[in-house]
Amino acid sequence: MAALENDIEREFIQKLKELKYGYRDDIRDRFSLEGNFRSHFQTLNRVNLTDGEFDRLLEEIVTPDVYNAARRLRQKNTFVRDDGTPLDYTLVNTKDWCKNTFEVTNQLRINTDNSYHRYDAVLLINGVPVVQVELKTLTISPRRAMQQIVDYKNDPGNSYSKTLLCFLQMFIVSNRSDTWYFANNNSRHFSFNADERFLPLYQFASEDNKKITHLDTFAEKFLAKCTLGQMISRYMVLVASEQKLLMMRPYQIYAVKAIVDCIHRNSGNGYIWHTTGSGKTLTSFKASTLLKDNPDIEKCLFVVDRKDLDRQTREEFNRFQEGCVEENTNTETLVRRLLSDDIADKVIVTTIQKLGLALDGTHKKNYKERLEPLSDKRIVFIFDECHRSQFGENHRAIKEFFPNAQLFGFTGTPIFEDNASYQQIEGEQASYVTTGDIFQQQLHAYTITHAIEDRNVLRFHVDYFKPEGKGAKAAGDTFQKRKVVETILEKHDAVTANRRFNSVLATASINDAIEYHGLFNSIQAERKAADPDFVPLNVVAVFSPPAEGNKDVRQLQEDLPQEKADNAVEPNKKKEALKGIIADYNGRFGTNHSINEFDLYYQDVQKRIKDQQFPNQDLPHTNKIDVTIVVDMLLTGFDSKYLNTLYVDKNLKHHGLIQAFSRTNRVLNDTKPYGNILDFRQQQTAVNDAITLFSGESSKPPKEIWLADTAPVAIDKLRTSVKTLDDFMQSQGLSCAPEEVANLKGDAARSQFINLFKEVQRLNTQLDQYTDLSVEDKEAIEGVMPKEELQGFRGVYLDTAQRLKSQQDKGPEKTSEDIDQLDFEFVLFASAVIDYDYIMSLIADYSQQQPGKQKMTRAQLIGLIQSDAKFLDDREEIAAYIDTLTVGEGLSEKAIRKGFETFKAEKNAKALSAIADKHELDVAALQAFVDAVLRRMIFDGEALSDLLAPLDLGWKARTQKELALMEDLIPLLQKRAHGREISGLGAYEQ
């Protein structure tokens, strides 16, 4: 195996030699790395440094802060020489990155505080290490390969923070056939959060989105010297507000290049078809900033069409580069900035409405006349979501006033001939020209088909509901609405994974939204009265109020045509209803919003939808929203990874349908397998038409790519995965039962079980969220693997995973390849509904049961706890505590909580006392030491020395005592840290 890895490494270096990289087989350690850097630095900056000056330079530039190192790499810096004179220097040729010296070294070994790290290959630009390449021979999960690099970086005293390796910009992992890359970052942006998300991971692709994964081809396309230089200098973004590095995806790079090239050749207008959720703001930001450096361009205007999008886009631009875009508070500010010569005013974010007023020749402030000096200049307009209807009206005015302007549009859903006559409001005429008519040419496409295949967005699972019974009438009828509400109450917990996620209900009119809000309140009140255990959904509604001369609301409604039209009829009635809805919201969440400051209410609703990410101990469910009732709002331009369901009771078509559906399909992790759509208007034909229209080029029938498997297909996949698990257990001479997993022999067999059962759990997680399962489907799922057996397997999976994870944490040098490649994905095994509060209430119920009338036995209760990943650290204590209880004892939940805390404290005290006795330490001193570590989450080596000082040991004996003590203390500290990282503890984890 090692020889094969050496072969891959040797061939990779040969490929880089062919690409004219210099091979530096003399750079094998820190000393030679720094010597090479010194040589390049002195040549580039035409200076000879003394040894003392070079040492001081290294002290200044080597930093554990990845973001600051990245900034220093890209800018001009100053160093004070020994004689007091300043030296202005750069680390690389930042004016022309292609003219730098590109080199590769391999098997670089650098000592850390506790061990050494070996790096397969490192790419150097002017002696600065910028790319680390890790080569693998095993079929390893890319996430696992990333995790190894994260572990290396978390090693105390690691090379990444104490040497020139702090300048690494990206990491590449490859097993020759499969190649991935990702950006370097500081630890808060470079760690795995097992509950929520993982690091952004990329595969390179060609312009038509064909993946380039073989290492040789990847090297030719991505690591060619000028290409790599451009990737680092132009297509990585330093996000100032978050102090992090962001890589642009290949399709974003091609779109930017297409726009810049079109401007360079002055070859007309164009549009970019990039699907919703693909990061259009970052792409347009990068295009804008590159244009900022183009002296032929007078101004670059990024044009949005709504006040909240104006704010959102401006904040995004300023997130990428602090202060790069000022707020345009009114049209006067826009005109002033257009006429300004200040470089800060070269890129402007504005709304289509303000731009329209500025070009309105009849306006009393004569904006158009004042802008006359700009009329013959080359100005670039970039339009966000360029299919909006009002854009057509402004297009003519822009072209007439700025004949030399170039116009570029971004859209996730272009207007084609088939959807050009789409009417958003029933009965109101609207005529659209196509996106191609307005922008002349398509410059680049990255469709939803591409994004789903790349797993950048999720597929959709669409259910079509039809209320049954003789009372069912046409859509919009009150009886129908009541049935819709009852269906949502019945399905919501399943479709949102027990309220792990939240949802939007799209209604056809403001009157419908008002009626739905009232129905939810009344029906839930009825259910609560009938069943005290019923937990109501938190339901809110948001729609715009009558404008009544309010410019902000009027501007907001330019893209809310249904709401604008609705508010023209009985506006006072709508206003009073919205006041009542906001009052209900204030009562529910303890806020103080009013209709007079509607925008603040709207922002709060959006924030609560996004705040779903926090587990209940951080943010209780009472502060979250389950269902948001809307008309037009939130159906375009709003993103939240925690919104997974759209309930539809309005007619949707073409791009309006795709935009609305796409609110649900942002990627989170495997607990969110797809975006859920529950359609109460049976719009299957409209869905199929939209999929056909917006699929773009496709290798398979678009519906196969866009839509989740039907229930029978998903059940067949589950059946196959369980059969594969059964075959494996039989091959080990064991029956396929949870209790037999403990009898598996060897790490290879246990690793195989982890991978096989993880797939079973993944498919079960998906099927748990299906809302269209028939009685036969549910029976089939239970027949494949009964719930009790599934729970048992979950428990033994967590036992086995915990055992293998503890070996994996010792590092690849000390574990087998089978364990090294495992990606446990504990998030799949953490129930959203089963939390600490829920378990405490169940234990209280258990205590209050009468013998012989038990709802849940002790074994069932412990099985539930042992099958949930959230209780990995506490499940032994909880199970032991349950053993101390007596059925029928009748303890309250408060008494149970207090009893468990006392039980746990006593158990911890006994464990600590045993460790103190074993190592001849004072119990109180050891307790104080442990308390200090857990309070600060920092392991203090000096405090450990102080703890052992009374033993009066020599240096060698004290070192042995430290290691022996830590072997006992580490499991205790990790358990009590509940998954949080204790800084510095890794030095003792061997």
Side-chain angles (χ1 to χ4, degrees), residues 272-319:
I272 304 292
W273 176 9
H274 279 189
T275 188
T276 303
S278 62
K280 294 192 292 293
T281 306
L282 174 59
T283 311
S284 53
F285 164 78
K286 178 51 70 174
S288 302
T289 53
L290 291 178
L291 296 178
K292 201 170 188 174
D293 299 328
N294 186 334
D296 298 329
I297 301 301
E298 185 75 18
K299 296 283 178 182
C300 177
L301 272 73
F302 189 77
V303 186
V304 296
D305 67 344
R306 228 167 54 209
K307 182 185 174 185
D308 62 325
L309 280 181
D310 174 25
R311 178 182 61 241
Q312 180 180 307
T313 305
R314 190 177 63 253
E315 287 173 354
E316 282 285 292
F317 271 39
N318 286 331
R319 170 176 164 256

Side-chain angles (χ1 to χ4, degrees), residues 169-185:
Q169 300 297 288
M170 72 178 84
F171 298 93
I172 297 169
V173 293
S174 178
N175 63 356
R176 183 187 274 161
S177 62
D178 200 14
T179 304
W180 301 78
Y181 62 99
F182 53 101
N184 191 12
N185 261 304

